[in-house]
């Protein structure tokens, strides 16, 4: 029985290491810095080189590029479907702004911690 348990634990640990690489990167977020709008939900871009766009489409102008970064979320809505082979696909986009204030930009929810549609962020 001890041998079976040891093999099961070893197999489980190997599976976690194999599958957990991307999940760990997506979940590891530093604490949100202070200074954002307290009436808005803070969202975290977990990926690197993420385009913040003028509209919720891949063809609209890029206003900024951010990596592992906190922003204030204004609202979210469906836009152009984005498919990334590494993380999947999503049609939900979030309107964001810098904590210090900025123009509104759009980021696809694929690159925000929180899932397909982010809890606490109202629909536009």
């Amino acid at each position: 029985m001890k041998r079976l348990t040891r093999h099961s634990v070893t197999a489980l640990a190997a599976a976690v290491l194999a599958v957990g690489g991307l999940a760990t990167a997506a979940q590891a977020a530093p604490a949100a810095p202070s200074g954002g709008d307290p009436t808005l939900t803070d969202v975290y871009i977990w990926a690197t080189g993420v385009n913040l766009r003028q509209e919720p489409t891949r063809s609209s102008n890029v206003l900024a590029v951010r990596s592992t970064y906190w922003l204030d979320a204004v609202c979210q809505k469906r836009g152009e479907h984005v498919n990334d082979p590494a993380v999947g696909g999503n049609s939900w986009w979030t309107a964001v702004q810098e904590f210090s204030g900025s123009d509104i930009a759009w980021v696809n929810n694929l690159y925000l911690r929180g899932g397909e549609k982010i809890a606490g962020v109202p629909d536009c």
Side-chain angles (χ1 to χ4, degrees):
M1 184 67 167
K2 284 185 179 181
R3 179 183 237 168
L4 178 60
T5 302
R6 191 174 330 132
H7 288 294
S8 297
V9 169
T10 302
L12 179 59
V16 167
L17 288 174
V19 174
L22 182 57
T24 301
Q27 293 176 2
S34 61
D37 184 330
T39 65
L40 299 175
T41 300
D42 297 340
V43 292
Y44 183 70
I45 296 176
W46 60 266
T48 57
V50 176
N51 293 325
L52 279 62
R53 297 190 175 271
Q54 190 170 5
E55 298 293 332
T57 66
R58 291 179 297 159
S59 61
S60 68
N61 292 335
V62 174
L63 301 177
V65 178
R66 297 288 182 260
S67 299
T68 59
Y69 197 79
W70 286 97
L71 296 159
D72 278 331
V74 177
C75 61
Q76 62 188 331
K77 71 177 183 178
R78 288 190 184 272
E80 180 182 358
H81 183 81
V82 173
N83 187 49
D84 184 326
V87 293
N90 197 341
S91 296
W92 284 93
W93 292 69
T94 297
V96 296
Q97 64 184 22
E98 301 278 345
F99 281 1
S100 60
S102 68
D103 290 338
I104 299 296
W106 291 89
V107 62
N108 190 278
N109 287 7
L110 272 178
Y111 306 109
L112 296 175
R113 194 167 134 204
E116 180 179 10
K117 189 172 180 201
I118 300 170
V121 178
D123 291 351
C124 296

